[in-house]
Amino acid sequence: MKTFNFKLQMASLIPEFIFQFLLNGNIDQDSITCVELEDLGDALKGAKDPSLKEIKKFLALDNEPGGEKEEPECEDGCEHEHGHSHEDGPKTVEETLDDVDAELEEVDSDYYHRYTPAELKYLFDKVIDNIDRIYDLYLDYAAVNLTLTINFRMTGGLDTNLVVEFLGHGMKVDDIEDSFYVPVKNAMVSDDIAVRIYFYCDAERTADYEKVFKDIADVMNVKHEGKYNSGTH
């Protein structure tokens, strides 16, 4: 495990770190996802705690899912998607592949929601502010540590992810290989729960990751109460 070239003074600064890191020009803004927020949403569905109302609303948990969209009835000769009609005869291979691509794009949109750096900052602020309640609900739901993984692409086609793992109640912590650990001086987010934050990387391109990480870290300033954390560089 290598060390990311920036040190945080306290775990409460993680949302601001995420915001500044992802907003950097080396990050493809259209590639940012966090699939595990779907699991977090499922874990919070039954929660009645008023303090969780805002995060539930953001994750669209307060809205009842709508009914299935009905397809319009179609008589012979009416047009279908891509301008194809019954009168045209069977679809070509190209038309069928176009339909498959369209369906995959719809699935991608539904299950791999893209997030902005500001949205993720907001979400992680809410999670950390309510970590004791959220952690217990998630542990009851999944029986594992609450771990949120932000996936994205950097300059040079480097695919990676930023992992924020909350550690509590004596849950086992695994060693992470092929990663860059972000040092946090005070890693406690509550009296009982700590956090660790790290990036996965392709071991064969470690030098490339180090260069991009350094470029990002060199312009970061995580502000808190009028003071700046200048990092370790």
Side-chain angles (χ1 to χ4, degrees):
M1 178 184 289
K2 294 182 175 293
T3 301
F4 183 76
N5 194 36
F6 194 93
K7 183 177 182 179
L8 291 171
Q9 293 299 316
M10 58 190 72
S12 61
L13 295 174
I14 288 175
E16 180 65 21
F17 174 85
I18 291 171
F19 175 70
Q20 289 193 22
F21 183 95
L22 293 177
L23 204 59
N24 189 274
N26 286 283
I27 307 299
D28 177 359
Q29 300 295 299
D30 294 327
S31 69
I32 303 170
T33 63
C34 188
V35 179
E36 288 159 330
L37 285 173
E38 299 292 335
D39 293 330
L40 177 60
D42 289 340
L44 300 183
K45 277 184 179 177
K48 304 299 183 183
D49 192 331
S51 64
L52 302 180
K53 182 178 180 180
E54 291 183 9
I55 190 171
K56 288 180 64 179
K57 182 177 180 179
F58 187 94
L59 295 173
L61 300 178
D62 288 342
N63 301 323
E64 291 295 327
E68 293 184 1
K69 182 179 179 181
E70 295 184 1
E71 293 293 335
E73 293 185 5
C74 180
E75 299 178 358
D76 287 345
C78 75
E79 298 236 343
H80 293 268
E81 287 186 67
H82 309 297
H84 185 84
S85 71
H86 288 302
E87 293 181 346
D88 295 331
K91 291 184 179 181
T92 66
V93 173
E94 290 78 8
E95 288 171 331
T96 301
L97 291 175
D98 285 343
D99 288 347
V100 171
D101 287 341
E103 291 173 2
L104 290 175
E105 287 180 5
E106 184 176 347
V107 169
D108 182 74
S109 176
D110 289 342
Y111 294 99
Y112 296 93
H113 176 76
R114 267 50 178 179
Y115 289 94
T116 67
E119 286 175 328
L120 289 173
K121 180 180 184 298
Y122 173 86
L123 281 168
F124 277 86
D125 269 328
K126 294 300 180 185
V127 169
I128 289 175
D129 285 347
N130 299 280
I131 189 58
D132 287 306
R133 180 70 172 135
I134 288 175
Y135 184 89
D136 288 342
L137 287 168
Y138 189 83
L139 190 60
D140 289 342
Y141 167 79
V144 295
N145 279 323
L146 172 58
T147 303
L148 299 175
T149 304
I150 303 171
N151 306 285
F152 55 92
R153 179 168 294 166
M154 301 191 300
T155 297
L158 294 172
D159 289 314
T160 186
N161 48 50
L162 172 59
V163 182
V164 181
E165 183 179 5
F166 297 91
L167 313 168
H169 306 323
M171 293 293 288
K172 181 181 178 181
V173 178
D174 295 324
D175 293 331
I176 308 299
E177 297 181 359
D178 301 333
S179 64
F180 285 78
Y181 169 72
V182 181
V184 182
K185 185 175 181 181
N186 181 358
M188 301 301 295
V189 287
S190 77
D191 290 340
D192 301 312
I193 299 172
V195 68
R196 64 175 177 174
I197 177 172
Y198 51 90
F199 296 90
Y200 277 123
C201 67
D202 181 348
E204 295 182 358
R205 300 190 64 183
T206 298
D208 295 329
Y209 283 93
E210 287 181 326
K211 182 181 184 305
V212 178
F213 284 157
K214 183 180 185 303
D215 289 344
I216 296 175
D218 282 347
V219 297
M220 289 185 69
N221 284 301
V222 178
K223 187 176 181 181
H224 181 68
E225 295 181 353
K227 297 181 180 179
Y228 286 85
N229 173 17
S230 61
T232 59
H233 50 279

